[in-house]
Amino acid sequence: TDGRIVELSNDTYMKDFKSYPKEEWTFIEHTKTEPAIPVSKISDFKVMDADGNDVTADILENPEPLLLVISYKLHGSTSYVEEQVQDSVYKVDTIQIGDHPAVVRTLVKVDQKKVTKPQHIWDAKYVARFNKLVNPLAEAAAKEGISTYAVAGGTGAETIEAFVKYAGANYPMYEADDIILKTIMRSNPGLVLMKNGVILGKWHYRHFPDVATLKGLISK
């Protein structure tokens, strides 16, 4: 009656219930229950784009059918090499041109500096799986309104970008935890057909479906 809110465990209330007469208190009972869907490893599934944005909902809550290419590891090796590059130094001035100010850059000097760049050597057989299997299926699916997304395991945005260019992938490739990707599928790459967060089909790269199979599963 005076606006106070008191939170008590059930045991404490039973011992001291006389201090809270029903004429003065309104009782709201909270009961802890187990979640409808048990928490598992896949509950930590999180997909990030190259800028560090969480795009998990874009995949799991997409009402349209989509193909998810699972690659828990991009097979290849990376070494780092030093290169000499030009480092131009400019002086910036503001000058008046008519009624308007303008910014003018003047080259002061050109230095040489060393930079370290990654050099990727991709496994030829692994890249061939994308060239011969993933990319043609993604292209054919796109003509039927089925989008394709790829998710690679724990490799970094720079490495993913390099692989996308080398493998000729014309679809987004995101990043996720490699262990969780293995939980979804061991095949590398593997393929998942989804709609509204529901898995309609999963395939090893040796058994990729054709577009007619995909459309049949979507229409069920």
Side-chain angles (χ1 to χ4, degrees):
T1 54
D2 61 3
R4 282 187 299 146
I5 298 175
V6 177
E7 186 171 339
L8 306 169
S9 69
N10 188 63
D11 290 342
T12 301
Y13 171 70
M14 293 305 294
K15 292 177 182 178
D16 199 23
F17 68 91
K18 292 182 179 179
S19 299
Y20 304 96
K22 293 183 178 180
E23 295 80 12
E24 298 179 13
W25 293 86
T26 299
F27 298 91
I28 302 173
E29 185 175 357
H30 296 277
T31 304
K32 291 184 178 180
T33 59
E34 292 298 319
I37 301 176
V39 176
S40 63
K41 185 66 179 176
I42 201 63
S43 302
D44 297 327
F45 182 59
K46 188 175 184 180
V47 183
M48 310 296 291
D49 68 11
D51 298 320
N53 300 310
D54 188 339
V55 295
T56 313
D58 296 342
I59 294 173
L60 297 184
E61 298 176 13
N62 196 324
E64 300 298 326
L66 61 89
L67 289 173
L68 192 62
V69 181
I70 304 294
S71 301
Y72 60 81
K73 180 180 180 182
L74 299 178
H75 289 295
S77 61
T78 302
S79 58
Y80 294 88
V81 295
E82 280 192 349
E83 292 184 2
Q84 290 277 0
V85 297
Q86 288 187 344
D87 184 20
S88 301
V89 180
Y90 292 88
K91 181 177 69 173
V92 179
D93 294 310
T94 302
I95 62 174
Q96 193 75 18
I97 300 178
D99 297 330
H100 305 283
V103 176
V104 177
R105 292 200 314 163
T106 304
L107 181 63
V108 177
K109 62 178 179 177
V110 178
D111 292 331
Q112 296 291 323
K113 69 175 183 179
K114 290 182 178 180
V115 296
T116 302
K117 292 186 176 181
Q119 189 174 57
H120 304 286
I121 301 174
W122 303 110
D123 182 273
K125 290 183 179 179
Y126 183 70
V127 174
R129 296 172 190 172
F130 282 81
N131 294 155
K132 297 178 180 180
L133 300 172
V134 178
N135 296 352
L137 181 58
E139 184 177 351
K143 294 178 181 178
E144 301 295 332
I146 306 171
S147 301
T148 298
Y149 302 90
V151 184
T155 187
E158 186 178 76
T159 302
I160 290 176
E161 182 181 1
F163 182 82
V164 166
K165 290 181 179 179
Y166 191 85
N170 293 320
Y171 41 84
M173 180 173 282
Y174 301 131
E175 185 176 9
D177 179 80
D178 59 330
I179 303 299
I180 293 179
L181 293 181
K182 285 182 182 180
T183 303
I184 299 173
M185 177 168 283
R186 289 279 179 170
S187 173
N188 190 7
L191 188 69
V192 179
L193 175 64
M194 300 181 67
K195 184 178 180 180
N196 274 326
V198 177
I199 294 177
L200 305 179
K202 292 171 67 175
W203 297 271
H204 190 281
Y205 69 84
R206 292 193 181 97
H207 308 290
F208 274 12
D210 55 20
V211 172
T213 301
L214 297 177
K215 292 174 66 178
L217 290 169
I218 293 168
S219 63
K220 283 185 178 180

